Amino acid sequence: MVKQMEERHSIWLRIFHWTNMIAITLLVLTGFYIHAPESFRLFSNMDTPRMLHFAMAYVLVFGVIGRVYYAIVAKDAKNVLFNPIPDIKNLPSMMKYYLFLSDSHPDYGKYNPGQKMMYTGWLVMAICMIITGFILYNPNLFMGLGGSLGGLIAVRVIHYIINWLFVLSVLAHVYLDVSEGIPVLLSMFTGKIPKGFHDSAHTHDKSIGA
Ligand code: HEM
């Protein structure tokens, strides 16, 4: 039987997802090399990774601006932004479900409160990386801002800590998406998901909608 598909991610949403993913992955890899070239031997000299880091910095700036603009014009901000009042109230039922203490959870909308927390966190983290990154890139131009954040060493430490937050949260994101099932993974490529897939995803028994 041919499965009926429904639209989940628009083309613009997918474009921003993949450009941001490529930019962040390359920023992390080149960032680790810049931090510790002797231990992280991915490149043979400092020129290529530094050039790539700065090029990807601009891609990230455009990716973040584009995604925020899209969230506003496509009215998709409510799907992705953590909204403290309903989302904190929904956290316990979500935790119970993910800890296998409950077999089902209520319908949270497009994303659950944990996902919204992560996506909102990424926006804040990306903005912090852009600010600290441009201070490191041109310390003379942003001397006042760098000073108010505690000086260049502090700025570098902030930049490095958030780098690790990106690494850990992206790993969690990939694990959670893969564990939700292949259709969820494919939907970020094709934009479509089998009709009713997320209704069955409210319970641990995926066979209902498969
Ligand atoms: C998700 C985004 C980003 C990640 C994961 C990331 C990661 C890193 C890491 C790990 C380092 C090494 C820090 C250290 O040695 O202590 C670094 C250095 C640096 N980053 Fe980023 N970064 C990001 C975004 C940016 C942006 C947007 C800029 C803006 C231009 C930027 C500019 C720099 C500069 C100038 C350095 C120092 C390079 C050098 O000393 O040669 N970064 N980054």
Side-chain angles (χ1 to χ4, degrees):
M1 197 181 76
V2 180
K3 274 183 193 154
Q4 270 206 326
M5 305 296 276
E6 64 187 0
E7 186 78 22
R8 181 156 172 86
H9 305 297
S10 73
I11 180 71
W12 284 109
L13 195 151
R14 283 177 278 150
I15 289 173
F16 290 127
H17 176 272
W18 292 115
T19 46
N20 286 331
M21 174 265 182
I22 291 168
I24 291 169
T25 304
L26 290 175
L27 283 161
V28 166
L29 293 176
T30 51
F32 273 131
Y33 183 83
I34 294 167
H35 180 76
E38 294 299 323
S39 337
F40 197 81
R41 294 167 180 271
L42 195 63
F43 302 91
S44 56
N45 62 67
M46 206 34 107
D47 297 343
T48 317
R50 287 190 83 219
M51 205 185 66
L52 248 181
H53 200 81
F54 304 145
M56 287 305 122
Y58 286 102
V59 175
L60 183 70
V61 170
F62 287 111
V64 169
I65 293 174
R67 184 61 181 85
V68 169
Y69 178 74
Y70 174 82
I72 297 167
V73 296
K75 300 196 178 2
D76 146 88
K78 62 177 183 319
N79 290 333
V80 272
L81 286 185
F82 188 76
N83 184 350
I85 295 171
D87 289 337
I88 289 177
K89 209 178 83 211
N90 281 331
L91 273 177
S93 65
M94 188 200 84
M95 293 303 293
K96 275 191 194 158
Y97 177 78
Y98 279 99
L99 292 172
F100 296 95
L101 297 173
S102 147
D103 282 337
S104 62
H105 66 73
D107 181 3
Y108 301 120
K110 185 170 183 185
Y111 300 119
N112 70 43
Q115 288 174 302
K116 286 199 238 172
M117 201 184 269
M118 181 116 90
Y119 304 153
T120 308
W122 279 344
L123 174 62
V124 175
M125 282 156 60
I127 293 171
C128 291
M129 286 314 248
I130 290 167
I131 294 172
T132 52
F134 276 98
I135 295 173
L136 294 173
Y137 189 58
N138 198 335
N140 291 332
L141 189 64
F142 300 107
M143 202 185 289
L145 194 55
S148 65
L149 288 174
L152 279 187
I153 295 180
V155 170
R156 203 177 156 197
V157 170
I158 299 170
H159 202 73
Y160 189 60
I161 291 174
I162 302 178
N163 166 72
W164 268 106
L165 290 180
F166 263 113
V167 172
L168 299 176
S169 57
V170 167
L171 288 177
H173 172 69
V174 173
Y175 166 75
L176 289 168
D177 271 3
V178 170
S179 63
E180 262 212 81
I182 299 298
V184 170
L185 215 58
L186 285 180
S187 72
M188 199 39 93
F189 292 94
T190 63
K192 296 187 167 42
I193 197 149
K195 217 168 166 32
F197 180 85
H198 279 91
D199 302 337
S200 63
H202 298 158
T203 126
H204 281 305
D205 181 6
K206 293 270 164 48
S207 62
I208 297 171

